[in-house]
Amino acid sequence: MPEAAKRSDDVADAAPDLMRPAAVNDDAVRSALARHLSRTSGSRTEITSFGRKSSGFSWITYAFVARSAEGDRKLILRVGPPSGLFAPYTVLPQVYALQSLAGTGVPVPALVSSEQDGAEIGFPFFICAHVEGEVPAPWAASELDPEHKRAIARQFVEILASLHRIDAGTTPFATLQQGEERAELRAISGWRASLARPTARYYPLLDWGGRWLHDNCPQPPRRTIVHGDYRIGNFIEHEGRITAILDWELTHLGDPHEDLAWAMMPTFNARSRKLYGVLERAEVIDLYQRASGIAVSDRSLAFYEAYALYQAAAIQMCAVRAFEVDRFNDMRLAVMASQMPSIVRAFERALEAVA
């Protein structure tokens, strides 16, 4: 029997088409942005200092200045392109995050405007205030003072605890809970579907492991707002303080252990088993428990550490498919294929630890 035929039939047909190759014309975006802000502000707006801030695989980020009779505003535009790694995109999770968390213990940029249908710009987008500071790169952090890193790492954990203490039922996040199925189970099903596509390379352990994760997902101690990509590199730091948590596109209501496990992955900590290379695992857990009031379950944390590696493997395969099948011309995607063996081996060890 062909390898592809051995895969889980219940998820193979559900695999979405993730790539829709298309170019985003920066000049067209800039012109449309000026029209949008002129309309929404009621004042003629000119766009200056317009340029891309990143060349990521997902949302496109632009920094610019909106100049009007009221003065200059430094703003950020994020666009969900049809060729993005996880297209089609929705702005709603990020918009809900910026709306709900303003003025809380979780620092976020101020929301200015958004459109899900992207009628004016052509793609889903949102605009937020520019936040001063730098985004730390985990792999370059060795040059930073260890005490500085410890202070930032502790803030990072305390902010996560603040997020998980928020009553989501009183915020727009409540609308993210659709139907009876838990968000984490929907996510596992989605990654399984992605890995089951005929164009994906077949790894028997991932096939079996995805089913095991779905069937053995623990009940959460409470349902909290989960960031979904909470890690070093997804925040802005300025003068020794974390001034904004970024990248809320995967936010949902779920198990707080998911964020904690993702944050501690060595991949996001320059391959160190210490958070930001300075906080030991036990110290992270102790600080989080005291700040959040949530008791950390060893088994739930081990489960979500395995799930984090499974999700990482699925993302890698999405990237490889984008390069090999959809002709997304970015060599960084091709390189991801070489990382799969080490991720699968780590996933096997994580499964053994929790199964």
Side-chain angles (χ1 to χ4, degrees):
M1 180 183 294
E3 289 293 332
K6 299 178 183 177
R7 305 179 195 190
S8 303
D9 294 335
D10 58 336
V11 298
D13 294 337
D17 290 328
L18 294 179
M19 297 296 298
R20 290 289 183 271
V24 177
N25 184 294
D26 290 357
D27 290 336
V29 169
R30 179 175 181 168
S31 298
L33 179 63
R35 292 192 295 271
H36 171 78
L37 287 175
S38 295
R39 178 182 63 81
T40 56
S41 69
S43 176
R44 184 179 181 280
T45 301
E46 177 187 359
I47 305 300
T48 67
S49 304
F50 183 83
R52 294 198 187 199
K53 282 184 66 70
S54 66
S55 56
F57 307 125
S58 192
W59 290 74
I60 300 173
T61 303
Y62 298 92
F64 65 97
V65 173
R67 177 167 295 167
S68 67
E70 285 72 38
D72 289 357
R73 288 189 298 169
K74 295 176 70 174
L75 300 175
I76 297 294
L77 167 69
R78 300 204 74 197
V79 172
S83 60
L85 195 57
F86 304 117
Y89 291 104
T90 172
V91 301
L92 294 182
Q94 300 191 76
V95 168
Y96 289 161
L98 301 192
Q99 289 175 332
S100 302
L101 300 175
T104 70
V106 181
V108 293
L111 180 68
V112 174
S113 181
S114 69
E115 280 190 3
Q116 173 56 33
D117 59 12
E120 287 178 293
I121 290 181
F123 313 97
F125 72 89
F126 70 94
I127 302 167
C128 63
H130 176 272
V131 177
E132 293 294 335
E134 302 293 332
V135 176
W139 53 88
S142 59
E143 301 175 2
L144 299 177
D145 176 69
E147 288 307 310
H148 172 88
K149 290 170 61 178
R150 281 188 63 84
I152 293 296
R154 291 182 66 85
Q155 289 177 49
F156 181 74
V157 176
E158 289 165 350
I159 290 171
L160 181 62
S162 295
L163 174 67
H164 293 166
R165 287 200 309 266
I166 293 172
D167 179 4
T170 64
T171 75
F173 276 110
T175 62
L176 291 177
Q177 186 63 38
Q178 301 173 350
E180 296 299 321
E181 187 180 22
R182 293 159 52 191
E184 51 268 46
L185 294 180
R186 289 199 304 272
I188 293 171
S189 295
W191 293 125
R192 290 179 65 206
S194 179
L195 287 166
R197 286 180 298 192
T199 53
R201 298 174 189 176
Y202 182 57
Y203 291 88
L205 180 67
L206 295 180
D207 190 13
W208 179 87
R211 180 181 294 275
W212 187 93
L213 290 171
H214 189 276
D215 293 344
N216 292 275
C217 189
Q219 288 293 328
R222 69 176 75 163
R223 302 201 70 72
T224 70
I225 300 170
V226 173
H227 181 282
D229 193 12
Y230 199 80
R231 58 179 175 82
I232 302 297
N234 269 352
F235 61 79
I236 295 174
E237 175 195 338
H238 184 59
E239 297 181 348
R241 300 294 302 173
I242 294 177
T243 52
I245 302 296
L246 308 174
D247 291 346
W248 293 87
E249 63 185 285
L250 297 178
T251 191
H252 57 275
L253 300 184
D255 192 322
H257 289 89
E258 181 181 339
D259 275 340
L260 196 59
W262 189 255
M264 292 194 294
M265 278 186 69
T267 302
F268 305 132
N269 295 283
R271 302 196 179 279
S272 172
R273 295 197 172 276
K274 299 178 182 180
L275 181 66
Y276 212 4
V278 290
L279 288 191
E280 295 282 359
R281 176 189 176 91
E283 186 177 359
V284 171
I285 293 172
D286 180 64
L287 175 59
Y288 172 81
Q289 289 184 134
R290 287 188 285 107
S292 68
I294 299 173
V296 173
S297 160
D298 290 340
R299 188 176 189 283
S300 290
L301 187 57
F303 174 91
Y304 279 103
E305 286 173 324
Y307 170 62
L309 288 161
Y310 179 78
Q311 179 173 291
I315 291 172
Q316 299 286 320
M317 287 308 302
C318 286
V320 172
R321 179 180 185 270
F323 182 82
E324 296 181 348
V325 178
D326 296 300
R327 306 306 183 193
F328 195 105
N329 189 20
D330 190 323
M331 288 304 298
R332 294 175 300 170
L333 299 179
V335 169
M336 290 185 178
S338 66
Q339 299 171 350
M340 282 299 295
S342 62
I343 293 175
V344 172
R345 287 194 297 270
F347 177 56
E348 181 178 26
R349 292 191 296 270
L351 280 178
E352 290 173 349
V354 69

